Structures are given as structure tokens and as C-alpha cells.
Amino acid sequence: MSLNNDLSNLFATMAAILEIKGEPVFKAIAFTKVSRWLKDSTLDLADLVATGKLADVEGIGPSSRRIIEEFIRTGSSSDFQELSKGVPAGVIGMLDIPSLGPKTISLLWKSRNITSVDELKSAIEKGELAGLKGIGEKKIAAIKEGIELRAKAGGRVGLPAALAAALPILEELGALPNVVEAKIAGSLRRFRETIGDVDLLCAAKPGADPQSIGRAVAAFPQVQKVLAQGVTKTSIVTFDGLQVDLRIVPPANFGAALLYFTGSKEHGVRLRSRAIDQGMTLNEWGIYRTSEYDKSAKKTGEAPSVKPLASRTEADVYKVLGLPYIEPELREDRGEIDAAAAGKLPKLVELAEIRGDLHCHTTASDGANSILEMAQAAREKGYQFLAITDHSKSSVIANGLTAERLLAHVKAIHKAAEQVKGLTLLAGCEVDILADGHLDFEAEVLAELDWVVASPHVALRQDRPKATDRILRAIESRYVNVIGHPTGRMIDQREGLPLDFARIFRAAAGSGTALEINGSYPRFDLNDVAARSAAEAGVMIAVDTDAHSVGGLEQMMFGVEVARRAWLTSGQIVNCMTPARLTQFISRKR
Ligand SMILES: [Zn+2]
Ligand SMILES: [Zn+2]
């Protein structure tokens, strides 16, 4: 994620290309050394270049220095382009496969004319590598496995899956005898909707060998492959194909490291420039007075010799910068630092403030549990209300209810309500918004309901004017309390409706119609950015799970995380109302 990392990868690739081409080995060795130094170094490269101190660093010769300077200036390298001339891009791409080194790639390219991962895959399948000198059956099997692993690990993983994979590892890590403290960092800590790699951070017991922690983690049962193992960093791939990077730091530097490795990159850049403006230097070890920091001794992988102004906790570091603590979900460079400086950060909604769920399904349509089971589960969660909202007739594959079945269902819900004390059970429906904006039921049917979610399920490739009119029309109905998953998007599967949000937000705010954050992955719809603009336009937000089973109610935590990333407070969320306030909200529109 850092400049050092990007440059380290650049030098490693250049070393590999030299080997693939069969150039004298000493050149490749020099680049490999620079790559390793860059990976381990905690020095601020841009700073070193700006102050002309890069020349003092041992092992970085004039040609490497030129490459670094050019890369910092332009983001690319002409030496790299020159070097990779004549080597097909697909050959360089083969370097991404674990267990496949430059020498083998060179052999495959020159003797079998294999110039891409796909060609390699098909050659293995056809048995064409047999008899190739130096590549035995075992090696072929390892390459095959590497290709599969790469395909799995290459894609991003959804937030719920990444969290489910990371939490047990975090727990085992935290229980190791030499670990004082362990936390998730990176985009997972910020609860982004999809995750590339999982970043973990831990503080080692003073005096303990940090490498012993890395070794212990490499032996965890989840580990399929160890990608790298250094003194303070270990990278593994789990059996789910997820890459996990662990960094080990001293307890005294834990907060600064956590801040650094949580990101986002852009948030970090802002913080560092704020530090510079105040004569301070901020890095993963701590925040320092620049005049003292520049004079201090710095060694790769160790804390600078001078005492930091703060480093133990993130809050300490923010405080030195004149800022209150900023929640990880806000650290996206979306105005959070200015808001923090002005004392205008929102008090983000918390899961404990949610009083109920307003969108779920039962066996009456496509759910797995009965009304009573859903209601009891909600009660056990401490909820004060729950809306049962099964599908309407047009959702045929979801066993949608006809008007007749719906009215019988309403009676069943009212009956169940009598059996669950302390829970307001709302008889509702998730009514389809048809392609032209008509609702799936007539007004007189809707009038029998306590709560109406209106959602688009089909015709999700409409153009903007049509799609916008469609949703606006649903908002106009006095019976519609919330638009469910308003865009219909599915992360990594479909874009959803291209809505004119400004018009929709105005109409929703003006009519007292809520818009939903659907907390079920891969929906997360509205997303964080749209939900924030909606709330800023005065729209009330409903955070729902769209649960299709008792277990589905647990997805509320993800809906709340989307809401937190949207800067929402409890006052902007329908689910945080008391049952009495909720009744008012409903009756005001009717
Ligand atoms: Zn739906
Ligand atoms: Zn639903």
C-alpha cells in the first residue's frame, strides 16, 4: 500500500526480467537487494529524495537511485520499460504465480514458446511439459496448484467472508504467549465492502523474539501457504484463498502502526501533510518533532532512536495533531480531517442503538423460518419491533403472495404478535415496484398493512430517466414507508439502476419516505456514499437485514457498518426510533 512497497515490487520485477532474459546475474542480485531494502525500510523515500539523502543510503547505487527518483516524480520508470522490451507482458505476468520462478519461466518461454498463464495452464493439461529438462512431475503439480491459488487469491473477497476468515486467526494470534495485543487493520478494519488482503497487527511482548510469533502463525490450521516470512512480517494464504499479512511491532509503537496500517492511504497522506505543516514527522513508529527525528538514528525494522511525541495509541497520535479520535470507518479522505479539526465529527450509530429490523422474510414467501420463529429471534436480540415483509405476487420465483394470501398472512402475523410479549410485530410486505413504477398491489390491499417496503427486483437495466421515474412513482404512494435496496445493485455482479439521486432524495425527504441500507451482502444498497448524501438531504434511512432466516438477522452489523461509513447518527435512522416514534413516522405519511 505504500510507495516503498510499490518500488520494492518494481525492483523485484526488474530483477526477475533480467533473469528471464538471461542477463549477467550480478545485475539481478543488485536489484533484488534494493527491492528487499525498500520492503523493510521504514524511511520516508519521498523525504529522502527531497532532501538529497538517498545518496547516503548504502547499497543503492546511482542507477537504482535514478529509478527511484523518476518513479517518485512520474509514477513510472523508463529503465523498466526499456528492460521489458522484447519480453511479452504475459511472460512477466507469470511471475505472479507462487512456486514459479524466473528461471522456469525463461525455460518455458524459450523452449516451449509459452507466453502467458493461460498457455501454461493448457500446456499442463495437455501434458506438453513432459520431458522438459529440469521440470519433473512434482514441479508440474506445484505450478498447477500455484495457478489455481493465484486465481482464487487474485479476486477481492466480500466483507462478511473476509471477516469470518479473519476473526478466528485474530483470536488465535491474540492467544499466543508472546502477543500483548492484536488487531485487524487495513480495509477490513474500515469495513470496506470488499477486501483484497487481510492486514493483522500485533504487539510483541517486550524481549520476546518477534519471529517466534510469525512462525506460530505460519503453523495455524487455516494456513495453506506461507508466502513470506521475515523478522517483523509474515504473509500467508488461507485455505479460502485469502492472503493475510501480519506485522509485528513493539507495544510502545502499536497505535502509530495501527493508524498507519489501517489506512486509507489517502487519509494517511492527509495526516502526514498536517504533521509536516506543524513541524512534525508521522510514520508507522510514531509522531516526532521533525528537528529531533532528522538527527535520530534509524535502522531497518527498528524504532527510531529518538522518543516520539506519541505512539502508544491512535488517539494519542491524533491528539498531538490537534484532532479528536477518528473512527476507522471515516478514514477515507472524505472530509473527516476537516470535520475533526472543526469539532464536527458525527457520533456514529452503533449496533446497540438499533431497536428493530424492518425487512425480513418467512416461510410464507422464500424465507426459512416461521413468523413466530423470526419474532422470537428478534425478541431475543433485544429488539422492540420487527416488520415481517414477505414478497408480493410478481416475485414468482420467491413464492410471492397474492392479495388473498397476503391478507391471510397479515392475520397470521397479528396472531403471532399476541404470543411474543414485548415486541411490536408489524404486518408488512415487500411490494415489487414494477418496471413502470406501479406497485404490485392496489392501494386498498396496502392499506391493510402496518409497514410497506417497496423494492425494484426486475428490469434493472433501465435508463436513468425511466429508472428515476419508476422509483419516484413508488415514493409518491402514501403507503410506501421505505424503498428497499433502491438501486438493485449486486456487488461484482450487476450495476443496478442508474438513479438521479438528487431528485429521489428530495422526493423521499419531502414525503417522509425512508431509503434503505440493505445490509445483506452482496447488496449493501444504498452504499455508503449514496446513503450519506441521502441523509444530508434530510432523508431518513432504514438499516435492514432482508433476513431470509433467523440467522440472517445477524447481518444487521453489516448494515450498521455501511451506515457508519455513511457518517450516520442514530437520529437519522428509522430503526433507532422507539416504537411510538416509529408509529408516528408511519402515520405522518398516511
Ligand atoms: Zn428484495
Ligand atoms: Zn427482501
mmCIF file of all heavy atoms in Angstrom, residues 201-233:
data_model
loop_
_atom_site.group_PDB
_atom_site.id
_atom_site.type_symbol
_atom_site.label_atom_id
_atom_site.label_comp_id
_atom_site.label_asym_id
_atom_site.label_seq_id
_atom_site.Cartn_x
_atom_site.Cartn_y
_atom_site.Cartn_z
ATOM 1 N N LEU A 201 -2.262 -6.840 12.815
ATOM 2 C CA LEU A 201 -1.156 -6.182 13.503
ATOM 3 C C LEU A 201 -1.112 -6.715 14.925
ATOM 4 O O LEU A 201 -2.155 -6.883 15.561
ATOM 5 C CB LEU A 201 -1.413 -4.676 13.520
ATOM 6 C CG LEU A 201 -0.299 -3.818 14.119
ATOM 7 C CD1 LEU A 201 0.888 -3.780 13.177
ATOM 8 C CD2 LEU A 201 -0.807 -2.405 14.373
ATOM 9 N N CYS A 202 0.086 -6.990 15.422
ATOM 10 C CA CYS A 202 0.158 -7.377 16.827
ATOM 11 C C CYS A 202 1.366 -6.759 17.496
ATOM 12 O O CYS A 202 2.351 -6.404 16.845
ATOM 13 C CB CYS A 202 0.139 -8.896 16.997
ATOM 14 S SG CYS A 202 1.693 -9.682 16.642
ATOM 15 N N ALA A 203 1.242 -6.593 18.810
ATOM 16 C CA ALA A 203 2.356 -6.086 19.623
ATOM 17 C C ALA A 203 2.994 -7.283 20.309
ATOM 18 O O ALA A 203 2.317 -8.084 20.942
ATOM 19 C CB ALA A 203 1.842 -5.081 20.640
ATOM 20 N N ALA A 204 4.331 -7.386 20.160
ATOM 21 C CA ALA A 204 5.059 -8.498 20.776
ATOM 22 C C ALA A 204 5.465 -8.127 22.195
ATOM 23 O O ALA A 204 5.764 -6.967 22.487
ATOM 24 C CB ALA A 204 6.299 -8.820 19.958
ATOM 25 N N LYS A 205 5.434 -9.115 23.060
ATOM 26 C CA LYS A 205 5.876 -8.922 24.446
ATOM 27 C C LYS A 205 7.314 -8.406 24.427
ATOM 28 O O LYS A 205 8.151 -8.935 23.694
ATOM 29 C CB LYS A 205 5.810 -10.265 25.178
ATOM 30 C CG LYS A 205 5.938 -10.155 26.679
ATOM 31 C CD LYS A 205 5.779 -11.528 27.316
ATOM 32 C CE LYS A 205 4.317 -11.809 27.622
ATOM 33 N NZ LYS A 205 4.138 -13.138 28.248
ATOM 34 N N PRO A 206 7.624 -7.356 25.203
ATOM 35 C CA PRO A 206 8.996 -6.835 25.199
ATOM 36 C C PRO A 206 9.994 -7.950 25.524
ATOM 37 O O PRO A 206 9.769 -8.734 26.444
ATOM 38 C CB PRO A 206 8.975 -5.777 26.295
ATOM 39 C CG PRO A 206 7.547 -5.357 26.396
ATOM 40 C CD PRO A 206 6.748 -6.581 26.079
ATOM 41 N N GLY A 207 11.042 -8.034 24.738
ATOM 42 C CA GLY A 207 12.062 -9.056 24.964
ATOM 43 C C GLY A 207 11.803 -10.345 24.219
ATOM 44 O O GLY A 207 12.712 -11.158 24.053
ATOM 45 N N ALA A 208 10.551 -10.534 23.745
ATOM 46 C CA ALA A 208 10.251 -11.769 23.018
ATOM 47 C C ALA A 208 10.765 -11.665 21.589
ATOM 48 O O ALA A 208 10.882 -10.567 21.045
ATOM 49 C CB ALA A 208 8.749 -12.014 23.014
ATOM 50 N N ASP A 209 11.071 -12.806 20.990
ATOM 51 C CA ASP A 209 11.530 -12.836 19.607
ATOM 52 C C ASP A 209 10.313 -12.702 18.684
ATOM 53 O O ASP A 209 9.460 -13.588 18.655
ATOM 54 C CB ASP A 209 12.256 -14.165 19.355
ATOM 55 C CG ASP A 209 12.602 -14.350 17.883
ATOM 56 O OD1 ASP A 209 12.562 -13.345 17.134
ATOM 57 O OD2 ASP A 209 12.898 -15.495 17.494
ATOM 58 N N PRO A 210 10.213 -11.586 17.934
ATOM 59 C CA PRO A 210 9.030 -11.404 17.084
ATOM 60 C C PRO A 210 8.879 -12.526 16.062
ATOM 61 O O PRO A 210 7.762 -12.888 15.680
ATOM 62 C CB PRO A 210 9.278 -10.057 16.395
ATOM 63 C CG PRO A 210 10.705 -9.717 16.632
ATOM 64 C CD PRO A 210 11.160 -10.457 17.843
ATOM 65 N N GLN A 211 10.003 -13.096 15.637
ATOM 66 C CA GLN A 211 9.927 -14.150 14.631
ATOM 67 C C GLN A 211 9.206 -15.400 15.139
ATOM 68 O O GLN A 211 8.623 -16.143 14.351
ATOM 69 C CB GLN A 211 11.328 -14.521 14.157
ATOM 70 C CG GLN A 211 11.518 -14.164 12.691
ATOM 71 C CD GLN A 211 12.940 -14.398 12.220
ATOM 72 O OE1 GLN A 211 13.889 -14.128 12.939
ATOM 73 N NE2 GLN A 211 13.067 -14.887 11.013
ATOM 74 N N SER A 212 9.241 -15.581 16.456
ATOM 75 C CA SER A 212 8.541 -16.752 17.018
ATOM 76 C C SER A 212 7.035 -16.620 16.796
ATOM 77 O O SER A 212 6.323 -17.603 16.620
ATOM 78 C CB SER A 212 8.860 -16.900 18.506
ATOM 79 O OG SER A 212 8.194 -15.889 19.248
ATOM 80 N N ILE A 213 6.549 -15.378 16.787
ATOM 81 C CA ILE A 213 5.119 -15.144 16.529
ATOM 82 C C ILE A 213 4.786 -15.486 15.082
ATOM 83 O O ILE A 213 3.813 -16.189 14.802
ATOM 84 C CB ILE A 213 4.741 -13.680 16.853
ATOM 85 C CG1 ILE A 213 4.987 -13.395 18.343
ATOM 86 C CG2 ILE A 213 3.294 -13.397 16.478
ATOM 87 C CD1 ILE A 213 4.847 -11.940 18.724
ATOM 88 N N GLY A 214 5.623 -14.990 14.176
ATOM 89 C CA GLY A 214 5.412 -15.282 12.757
ATOM 90 C C GLY A 214 5.422 -16.781 12.485
ATOM 91 O O GLY A 214 4.591 -17.294 11.737
ATOM 92 N N ARG A 215 6.356 -17.470 13.135
ATOM 93 C CA ARG A 215 6.445 -18.932 12.948
ATOM 94 C C ARG A 215 5.186 -19.627 13.457
ATOM 95 O O ARG A 215 4.663 -20.536 12.822
ATOM 96 C CB ARG A 215 7.682 -19.489 13.649
ATOM 97 C CG ARG A 215 8.959 -19.382 12.809
ATOM 98 C CD ARG A 215 10.065 -20.283 13.353
ATOM 99 N NE ARG A 215 10.429 -19.957 14.722
ATOM 100 C CZ ARG A 215 11.348 -19.036 15.059
ATOM 101 N NH1 ARG A 215 11.988 -18.380 14.113
ATOM 102 N NH2 ARG A 215 11.624 -18.782 16.315
ATOM 103 N N ALA A 216 4.699 -19.161 14.617
ATOM 104 C CA ALA A 216 3.486 -19.768 15.181
ATOM 105 C C ALA A 216 2.290 -19.558 14.260
ATOM 106 O O ALA A 216 1.484 -20.465 14.038
ATOM 107 C CB ALA A 216 3.211 -19.178 16.566
ATOM 108 N N VAL A 217 2.183 -18.351 13.696
ATOM 109 C CA VAL A 217 1.062 -18.055 12.802
ATOM 110 C C VAL A 217 1.143 -18.911 11.537
ATOM 111 O O VAL A 217 0.136 -19.423 11.057
ATOM 112 C CB VAL A 217 1.037 -16.544 12.453
ATOM 113 C CG1 VAL A 217 0.053 -16.262 11.324
ATOM 114 C CG2 VAL A 217 0.678 -15.726 13.683
ATOM 115 N N ALA A 218 2.360 -19.098 11.028
ATOM 116 C CA ALA A 218 2.533 -19.906 9.813
ATOM 117 C C ALA A 218 2.076 -21.346 10.040
ATOM 118 O O ALA A 218 1.767 -22.063 9.096
ATOM 119 C CB ALA A 218 3.989 -19.877 9.368
ATOM 120 N N ALA A 219 2.012 -21.759 11.316
ATOM 121 C CA ALA A 219 1.598 -23.128 11.635
ATOM 122 C C ALA A 219 0.114 -23.229 11.997
ATOM 123 O O ALA A 219 -0.368 -24.303 12.349
ATOM 124 C CB ALA A 219 2.456 -23.662 12.785
ATOM 125 N N PHE A 220 -0.636 -22.118 11.919
ATOM 126 C CA PHE A 220 -2.075 -22.154 12.218
ATOM 127 C C PHE A 220 -2.781 -23.111 11.242
ATOM 128 O O PHE A 220 -2.368 -23.239 10.081
ATOM 129 C CB PHE A 220 -2.702 -20.756 12.071
ATOM 130 C CG PHE A 220 -2.450 -19.835 13.236
ATOM 131 C CD1 PHE A 220 -2.885 -18.508 13.184
ATOM 132 C CD2 PHE A 220 -1.792 -20.263 14.378
ATOM 133 C CE1 PHE A 220 -2.659 -17.640 14.237
ATOM 134 C CE2 PHE A 220 -1.560 -19.405 15.438
ATOM 135 C CZ PHE A 220 -1.991 -18.089 15.368
ATOM 136 N N PRO A 221 -3.873 -23.752 11.692
ATOM 137 C CA PRO A 221 -4.543 -24.737 10.828
ATOM 138 C C PRO A 221 -5.162 -24.131 9.569
ATOM 139 O O PRO A 221 -5.391 -24.851 8.597
ATOM 140 C CB PRO A 221 -5.636 -25.311 11.742
ATOM 141 C CG PRO A 221 -5.801 -24.327 12.844
ATOM 142 C CD PRO A 221 -4.463 -23.693 13.036
ATOM 143 N N GLN A 222 -5.427 -22.819 9.577
ATOM 144 C CA GLN A 222 -6.048 -22.200 8.390
ATOM 145 C C GLN A 222 -5.052 -22.011 7.251
ATOM 146 O O GLN A 222 -5.438 -21.665 6.138
ATOM 147 C CB GLN A 222 -6.602 -20.812 8.741
ATOM 148 C CG GLN A 222 -7.741 -20.791 9.722
ATOM 149 C CD GLN A 222 -7.248 -20.710 11.160
ATOM 150 O OE1 GLN A 222 -6.071 -20.913 11.464
ATOM 151 N NE2 GLN A 222 -8.169 -20.424 12.074
ATOM 152 N N VAL A 223 -3.759 -22.157 7.539
ATOM 153 C CA VAL A 223 -2.739 -21.745 6.571
ATOM 154 C C VAL A 223 -2.523 -22.795 5.488
ATOM 155 O O VAL A 223 -2.194 -23.939 5.781
ATOM 156 C CB VAL A 223 -1.404 -21.452 7.285
ATOM 157 C CG1 VAL A 223 -0.321 -21.117 6.260
ATOM 158 C CG2 VAL A 223 -1.585 -20.303 8.264
ATOM 159 N N GLN A 224 -2.725 -22.365 4.238
ATOM 160 C CA GLN A 224 -2.458 -23.259 3.117
ATOM 161 C C GLN A 224 -1.030 -23.080 2.623
ATOM 162 O O GLN A 224 -0.364 -24.027 2.261
ATOM 163 C CB GLN A 224 -3.440 -22.962 1.980
ATOM 164 C CG GLN A 224 -3.258 -23.888 0.792
ATOM 165 C CD GLN A 224 -4.199 -23.564 -0.343
ATOM 166 O OE1 GLN A 224 -4.563 -22.419 -0.565
ATOM 167 N NE2 GLN A 224 -4.595 -24.576 -1.075
ATOM 168 N N LYS A 225 -0.586 -21.804 2.586
ATOM 169 C CA LYS A 225 0.726 -21.483 2.036
ATOM 170 C C LYS A 225 1.339 -20.334 2.821
ATOM 171 O O LYS A 225 0.628 -19.402 3.202
ATOM 172 C CB LYS A 225 0.565 -20.995 0.588
ATOM 173 C CG LYS A 225 0.631 -22.077 -0.449
ATOM 174 C CD LYS A 225 1.929 -22.023 -1.235
ATOM 175 C CE LYS A 225 2.304 -23.400 -1.745
ATOM 176 N NZ LYS A 225 1.407 -23.868 -2.812
ATOM 177 N N VAL A 226 2.627 -20.417 3.055
ATOM 178 C CA VAL A 226 3.344 -19.273 3.610
ATOM 179 C C VAL A 226 4.005 -18.564 2.441
ATOM 180 O O VAL A 226 4.820 -19.151 1.732
ATOM 181 C CB VAL A 226 4.393 -19.728 4.638
ATOM 182 C CG1 VAL A 226 5.128 -18.520 5.196
ATOM 183 C CG2 VAL A 226 3.723 -20.511 5.758
ATOM 184 N N LEU A 227 3.620 -17.301 2.219
ATOM 185 C CA LEU A 227 4.159 -16.570 1.075
ATOM 186 C C LEU A 227 5.494 -15.924 1.409
ATOM 187 O O LEU A 227 6.380 -15.843 0.578
ATOM 188 C CB LEU A 227 3.170 -15.481 0.618
ATOM 189 C CG LEU A 227 1.827 -15.949 0.077
ATOM 190 C CD1 LEU A 227 0.961 -14.755 -0.284
ATOM 191 C CD2 LEU A 227 2.020 -16.832 -1.153
ATOM 192 N N ALA A 228 5.596 -15.420 2.631
ATOM 193 C CA ALA A 228 6.822 -14.724 3.026
ATOM 194 C C ALA A 228 6.926 -14.739 4.539
ATOM 195 O O ALA A 228 5.916 -14.683 5.239
ATOM 196 C CB ALA A 228 6.797 -13.285 2.532
ATOM 197 N N GLN A 229 8.153 -14.833 5.022
ATOM 198 C CA GLN A 229 8.336 -14.815 6.458
ATOM 199 C C GLN A 229 9.602 -14.037 6.788
ATOM 200 O O GLN A 229 10.712 -14.485 6.508
ATOM 201 C CB GLN A 229 8.414 -16.244 7.005
ATOM 202 C CG GLN A 229 8.109 -16.293 8.474
ATOM 203 C CD GLN A 229 7.677 -17.676 8.910
ATOM 204 O OE1 GLN A 229 7.788 -18.649 8.171
ATOM 205 N NE2 GLN A 229 7.202 -17.777 10.137
ATOM 206 N N GLY A 230 9.426 -12.834 7.343
ATOM 207 C CA GLY A 230 10.573 -12.024 7.725
ATOM 208 C C GLY A 230 10.588 -11.865 9.229
ATOM 209 O O GLY A 230 9.855 -12.547 9.938
ATOM 210 N N VAL A 231 11.411 -10.939 9.719
ATOM 211 C CA VAL A 231 11.525 -10.752 11.163
ATOM 212 C C VAL A 231 10.229 -10.179 11.733
ATOM 213 O O VAL A 231 9.706 -10.662 12.733
ATOM 214 C CB VAL A 231 12.707 -9.815 11.493
ATOM 215 C CG1 VAL A 231 12.801 -9.591 12.995
ATOM 216 C CG2 VAL A 231 14.004 -10.407 10.953
ATOM 217 N N THR A 232 9.679 -9.166 11.069
ATOM 218 C CA THR A 232 8.501 -8.495 11.617
ATOM 219 C C THR A 232 7.275 -8.622 10.718
ATOM 220 O O THR A 232 6.268 -7.996 10.960
ATOM 221 C CB THR A 232 8.788 -6.993 11.838
ATOM 222 O OG1 THR A 232 9.156 -6.426 10.572
ATOM 223 C CG2 THR A 232 9.907 -6.794 12.834
ATOM 224 N N LYS A 233 7.380 -9.415 9.658
ATOM 225 C CA LYS A 233 6.237 -9.548 8.761
ATOM 226 C C LYS A 233 6.101 -10.984 8.276
ATOM 227 O O LYS A 233 7.090 -11.607 7.905
ATOM 228 C CB LYS A 233 6.407 -8.608 7.561
ATOM 229 C CG LYS A 233 5.190 -8.592 6.678
ATOM 230 C CD LYS A 233 5.332 -7.687 5.467
ATOM 231 C CE LYS A 233 4.235 -8.063 4.474
ATOM 232 N NZ LYS A 233 4.310 -7.347 3.219
#
